[in-house]
Amino acid sequence: MKFDKILKQAQKMQADMARIQEELARERVEGMAGGGMVKATVNGQGDLVAVHLEKEVVNPEDTDMLEDLIVAAVSDAVRKSRDLAGERMGSVTGGMGFPGMM
């Protein structure tokens, strides 16, 4: 394969990856804990964008439980976000892992 062809393929891959990153910024995934009492929404780049708490789960006498539920919901959402990003980027990279990518 000639160098110019390799360079064009690399440029296309770079453009595709940038497009996917932009799309991922608009995607939303939701993680839950406590049977859905705590929900966290994360974008496809792993940024936390929202947290929703059902009133019944807010107990001033037991903030430790609420903190644990929030961490669990956010962790679930971040995991789903990473899976989504890996799936989308894998379609461009052919499954090759690149450092610094989700």
Side-chain angles (χ1 to χ4, degrees):
M1 190 176 278
K2 294 186 178 183
F3 181 73
D4 62 332
K5 199 169 193 177
I6 292 171
L7 183 59
K8 284 183 183 185
Q9 284 182 332
Q11 289 170 335
K12 181 185 180 320
M13 182 183 286
Q14 185 177 22
D16 289 346
M17 289 171 59
R19 178 185 48 79
I20 290 172
Q21 283 292 343
E22 289 174 9
E23 291 171 2
L24 286 170
R26 292 187 297 270
E27 292 279 341
R28 298 292 185 263
V29 293
E30 188 174 80
M32 292 187 272
M37 299 293 281
V38 176
K39 297 176 184 173
T41 304
V42 174
N43 69 17
Q45 293 179 324
D47 300 323
L48 181 64
V49 295
V51 173
H52 174 78
L53 308 173
E54 293 293 329
K55 291 177 184 170
E56 299 82 13
V57 78
V58 180
N59 177 355
E61 303 299 318
D62 192 5
T63 58
D64 289 341
M65 179 200 60
L66 180 55
E67 290 168 355
D68 290 344
L69 289 172
I70 292 169
V71 169
V74 171
S75 295
D76 184 39
V78 168
R79 180 190 51 76
K80 290 176 181 177
S81 173
R82 286 183 181 147
D83 290 347
L84 176 65
E87 179 184 305
R88 298 280 173 85
M89 286 296 182
S91 69
V92 172
T93 65
M96 295 183 295
F98 288 101
M101 296 179 61
M102 295 180 125

